[in-house]
Structure formats: C-alpha cells, structure tokens
Amino acid sequence: MNRRGEGKIELMAPAGSFESLQAAIDNGADAVYFGVEQLNMRARSSINFTLDDLPEIALRCAAHKVKTYLTLNTIIYDHDLSIIKTLINRVKEAGITAIIASDQAVINYARTAGVEVHISTQLNVTNIETVKFYALFADVMVLSRELSLRQVKKICDAIRDEDVRGPSGELIKIEIFAHGALCMAVSGKCYLSLHTQNSSANRGACVQNCRRTYKVIDLEDGHELEIDNEYIMSPKDLCTLDFLDQVMATGVQVLKIEGRARAPEYVATVIKTYNEAINAYYEGSYTPEKIKGWMEQLATVYNRGFWSGYYLGQQLGEWAEAPGSLATRKKIFIGKGIHYYPKQQAAHFKIETQSVAVGDEILITGPTTGVVETTIASMRVEDQEVDTAGKGADVTIPLATRIRPSDKIYKYVPA
C-alpha cells in the first residue's frame, strides 16, 4: 500500500548520508530531513551533507514524491547571519520543500525569501496560543517532546475548531516525534556539554556526556549514594509503535523518526516497520500479533531500550541500562562491491576481512544503492560453487538488486 498522497499521515525519516536518504525513500518515507554542514542540531554527530548536495537530494526525492526538509535549528549568532542567508537562498534554488527552524532571524529571512518554514521542537510549542502565534510564520509545528497524547490531541482539536491557518492558507499541521533517541533536557535544550566540554549542544556540538555513568557524592561527608542504574541521565529510546493507534487518534499529521546520526540500516528498518504499522492502522489490521513482530524488528537495530516517552503520562523517564546499543544483532564489515552482472542478476564482492558463508545474513550499503539486506542462498568463487569464502576471496552471489563498485558489504551476527 502506497501512502504517499493527500489525507495520509506523513512519515518523516532522518537522513545523515546518501545511503540513509536512499534507504528512507526505498522503505516508504513520505519526507526526509537532513542537515548541511554547520548550524543544525546534529552538526557534530552526523556526517551531514554539503550545499552542493542540495540539488541531488531534491531531484532524487522529487522523483519519488518525497518531501525534503533542511534543519537550521541551532542558536544563531551575528556572525552566522550571512551563512544563514546563503543556505536559505540555496534551499530555494535547489527546490528543497522547507526548512526546520527555531531562531527568529532564520524564520524571518526564510519567510522574506519565500521559503516554507516549519517550527522546530526547540521552540517548545506546548499550547494552542503558541501555535496561533507561530502560525504567522509557519505551516507545520513540531510539538514539545514533553507533552502527553491527551495534550497533543487538545492542540490538534483546537486548530480545527478555531480554524488556525498558516501562511499557505492551509490548517496548521502538527508534527511529533514517534521514535528514536530522547534527551534528558527539555526538548533538547541542554547546557551540560557546554558546561563540561565547552561544546554547545544548542549549536549542534553535543558530546553526549549524559550517556555516561555517574556517581552521586555528598560533598559534606563524602558518602556516595547507591544508584541501581548508573546511567541516570541517559533515557531509553522513544518508541510509539505499540500504541500507534492512540497516536494516530490525536489528529497529528506528521510522525518524525529521530536518527540522523544512525546507520543506514537503522533508517531502513525503522521506516519500513513504521510504514507497515501505519498501513495496517488504515487497513484495520493493526493487531497485537503484528505489533510483536514489528517490535522484534526494531530491536535488531541500534537502540538503548524502548519506552513510551511522556505520551502516556509518565512523570519520570526510563533510563538506559548500558552505554551503547541493546540491538539483538550487530554488523561486521567483510568487504566491498566490485561489479554487478545484470543478465545473471549476480553481484561480485571482494572479501577483505573475516569470512562469509552460505546462510549468512548480509547487509549491503552505498550512496546510490541505499540498504539491501538478504541471506546468501549460494555463492561462487572462481566459478565454483562454495559454502564458505575467506579473506581475499572474490565472491559472486545471486542478487536481484543492482550494486555499485565500492558498496560496502557486512554480515550480521548476534550481539
């Protein structure tokens, strides 16, 4: 079922690279958001694109009717203003759909230049009066992450009841985060990284020192407080898939997946899973059995464990139990692509490390290829059928999807 079209909720995917961008397109995203060099909230942790990439991003997405959003949502200083103007001008020239902004200078210049604006979660939109104010400048607003579904629904209902419209003349659209990493700070506005490392999270340079272990010490007598979970500032990842029907019932129009710093296979798996769940909701087949399968799929890629955020009314966060991922499997790099034989539908790889065998689950990624996941049914080395191949081998495997030279191949192993 293709949800791309009017009247359907929009599924927005993160893109930190062309591999992730293609993975988002191939797995059913209706929109992608991404950063360019500086001045976005993932300037440090994500690869990010360059200004020269904008035309290709716009062209590749337009071919699939996928919307494109550039994030310009950091704090802006006077010396940034010329950069901002250049970025926005190039956004307009390239045909990027909109920018996501939080600074009034960015919002004002974008409106002057005729570029569509979406209000970032950094502005903490939490009530209908704030929505009315920003409706003077923007057509889409990302609500604060600290709201409950009840509060989200109240805002969505009020927009319709009070006929709140943006600059386009259309009713204001509400966007919320549906899945991915959460921050201990209020909608991401944190000063811990700046205080300890002189590296501002609000300028996209967070060092994520909240993800580390800490002790609590009484400075008067030196006693340490016993803490069952040392990761006391590192929340589990947000996941709404198991109550997606309640999310959809609020009336929100855009579901945002967090993860511009995550790997392409993360984007592929999460977008595919949420796409299937949304389709099932519309078809009336959103069932506990399907939810169980989807949750198992989500657990295979990077995650810190899952919780429902504040949507269901929790007063306190649920904290991660480990410094990194709790994914049930991990990938190991084994080689690179050499050539693709379209008539034979076979891909040639050079095994550069480890080994590979029939029955292995593999992952192939590349800027144009995106993400391909499959199980090796058979393979050949020097035109002979083999069961295993080691380092240095040239391997050919049946593959319906075209690969490109220098595409990377990995194999999955249990985590």
Side-chain angles (χ1 to χ4, degrees), residues 57-95:
I57 293 170
L59 187 64
R60 197 184 290 195
C61 290
H64 297 275
K65 297 182 179 179
V66 173
K67 297 176 182 178
T68 50
Y69 307 131
L70 175 66
T71 57
L72 289 174
N73 55 350
T74 62
I75 291 174
I76 303 299
Y77 297 122
D78 280 326
H79 65 264
D80 299 319
L81 294 176
S82 61
I83 300 173
I84 283 297
K85 292 177 181 178
T86 299
L87 284 171
I88 292 173
N89 290 342
R90 294 288 290 274
V91 161
K92 186 173 183 180
E93 291 170 9

Side-chain angles (χ1 to χ4, degrees), residues 282-336:
Y282 284 125
E283 294 167 352
S285 59
Y286 176 80
T287 63
E289 292 76 22
K290 286 187 175 182
I291 291 170
K292 184 176 182 293
W294 291 324
M295 293 299 292
E296 289 173 353
Q297 282 297 305
L298 291 175
T300 65
V301 292
Y302 191 104
N303 70 86
R304 296 185 179 91
F306 299 125
W307 74 300
S308 58
Y310 297 97
Y311 289 137
L312 300 182
Q314 282 89 339
Q315 296 300 309
L316 295 174
E318 293 185 18
W319 309 110
E321 299 170 354
S325 176
L326 297 178
T328 57
R329 66 179 182 177
K330 62 182 179 180
K331 64 180 182 182
I332 297 176
F333 174 77
I334 56 173
K336 291 182 180 178

